[in-house]
Amino acid sequence: MMINKKVLQFLKELSNNNNRDWFQANKEWFNEIQNEMIAITGYFLTEIEKFDKSVKGVDPKQCIFRIYKDVRFSKDKSPYKTHLGIFMRGGDKKIEGTGYYLHIEPQGSLLGGGCYQPDPKSLQNIRDSIIKDAKSFKKIIHAQSFQKDFGTEFYAEKLKTAPKGFAKDHPEIELLKYKGFAVAKKIKDSDLLSKNFLQESVATFKNVFPLNQFLNKLML
């Protein structure tokens, strides 16, 4: 199993024809891609379950973001997203909390996981835990395999100053400034379409697992 080049072709054409008439005329093409995404998600869940039992029984269809945009509060009224997103997490079917993410977009694909936007109470718990046991957290994010995939920065918004209630000179202040703890690895189009991509993606997700374990204990 591998990602078909037609997926990127569809997204490129949709970007140039982001309107209902074009989409309806190509609905069969979109449905074909959706079925492919469901199959790929099913493969990922089967492989992730080997190291993260929490995803057992998760419905692949529930992991795929809708392509239809909510334009009520947006200046850009184009009706469709020009990327595809898959977010896999255990526990329930909600697309929130920690998990494993694949973002497909021409010249902008990503693999990652963690938690992008924790609620305020969960974020407070995460920061408190980093203060209490920075060593355990840093052991995860400083692991060679983790840094090889994700580097040293989180894929999340970061405050310019210390968060309220935290000392500006705290030794871990740079970590405490983050408002989320997601990680992302950029993927070239050629790598996305390679025959080894899905297998290599599972290895990347496995590197996310220790971070998810740490964060899950602190999520409300």
Side-chain angles (χ1 to χ4, degrees):
M1 182 184 295
M2 59 187 291
I3 293 178
N4 194 304
K5 64 181 180 180
K6 289 183 179 181
V7 174
L8 292 182
Q9 291 174 350
F10 175 85
L11 293 173
K12 288 176 183 177
E13 293 198 28
L14 176 60
S15 182
N16 293 326
N17 302 276
N18 201 328
N19 60 76
R20 189 176 186 278
D21 289 343
W22 184 90
F23 191 83
Q24 289 301 117
N26 291 276
K27 192 66 179 292
E28 186 174 336
W29 188 4
F30 172 69
N31 289 338
E32 179 184 339
I33 288 170
Q34 279 291 91
N35 288 334
E36 182 175 342
M37 291 300 102
I38 292 169
I40 287 169
T41 305
Y43 166 82
F44 280 147
L45 289 169
T46 298
E47 294 302 309
I48 291 170
E49 186 185 336
K50 294 177 182 178
F51 56 83
D52 184 350
K53 300 299 182 184
S54 72
V55 303
K56 184 178 181 179
V58 171
D59 183 352
K61 294 179 182 179
Q62 296 292 335
C63 301
I64 301 172
F65 286 98
R66 287 167 52 85
I67 200 167
Y68 306 97
K69 287 168 56 180
D70 183 351
V71 299
R72 290 175 297 173
F73 309 107
S74 175
K75 292 181 180 179
D76 179 5
K77 299 299 182 181
S78 55
Y80 307 104
K81 301 172 186 174
T82 55
H83 64 268
L84 299 173
I86 299 170
F87 189 78
M88 298 161 285
R89 71 180 299 256
D92 56 42
K93 298 177 181 179
K94 296 179 182 178
I95 301 178
E96 59 185 22
T98 66
Y100 308 90
Y101 181 59
L102 170 61
H103 178 101
I104 299 177
E105 182 177 7
Q107 304 299 320
S109 297
L110 299 169
L111 273 174
C115 182
Y116 185 62
Q117 290 182 321
D119 63 88
K121 290 185 178 179
S122 295
L123 179 57
Q124 180 72 32
N125 284 348
I126 294 168
R127 286 170 171 163
D128 288 342
S129 182
I130 290 173
I131 287 177
K132 292 177 182 177
D133 189 10
K135 184 177 180 180
S136 294
F137 186 68
K138 291 168 77 173
K139 183 178 179 181
I140 294 169
I141 63 175
H142 289 170
Q144 185 176 359
S145 57
F146 186 94
Q147 294 217 342
K148 182 179 178 181
D149 275 339
F150 308 117
T152 58
E153 298 289 329
F154 283 99
Y155 190 75
E157 186 178 350
K158 191 175 183 181
L159 298 172
K160 293 182 179 179
T161 60
K164 186 177 180 180
F166 294 86
K168 293 181 180 180
D169 60 350
H170 191 280
E172 307 301 338
I173 193 59
E174 292 306 311
L175 285 174
L176 299 174
K177 287 180 182 179
Y178 281 105
K179 297 177 69 175
F181 292 90
V183 291
K185 174 184 178 180
K186 294 181 180 180
I187 304 297
K188 296 179 182 178
D189 288 357
S190 57
D191 292 333
L192 181 78
L193 301 178
S194 71
K195 63 180 181 179
N196 296 323
F197 175 71
L198 298 186
Q199 184 179 357
E200 291 171 354
S201 297
V202 173
T204 296
F205 291 147
K206 193 170 185 178
N207 287 333
V208 177
F209 178 53
L211 175 65
N212 283 351
Q213 279 188 305
F214 181 93
L215 296 175
N216 278 335
K217 297 174 183 178
L218 307 167
M219 303 293 292
L220 299 178

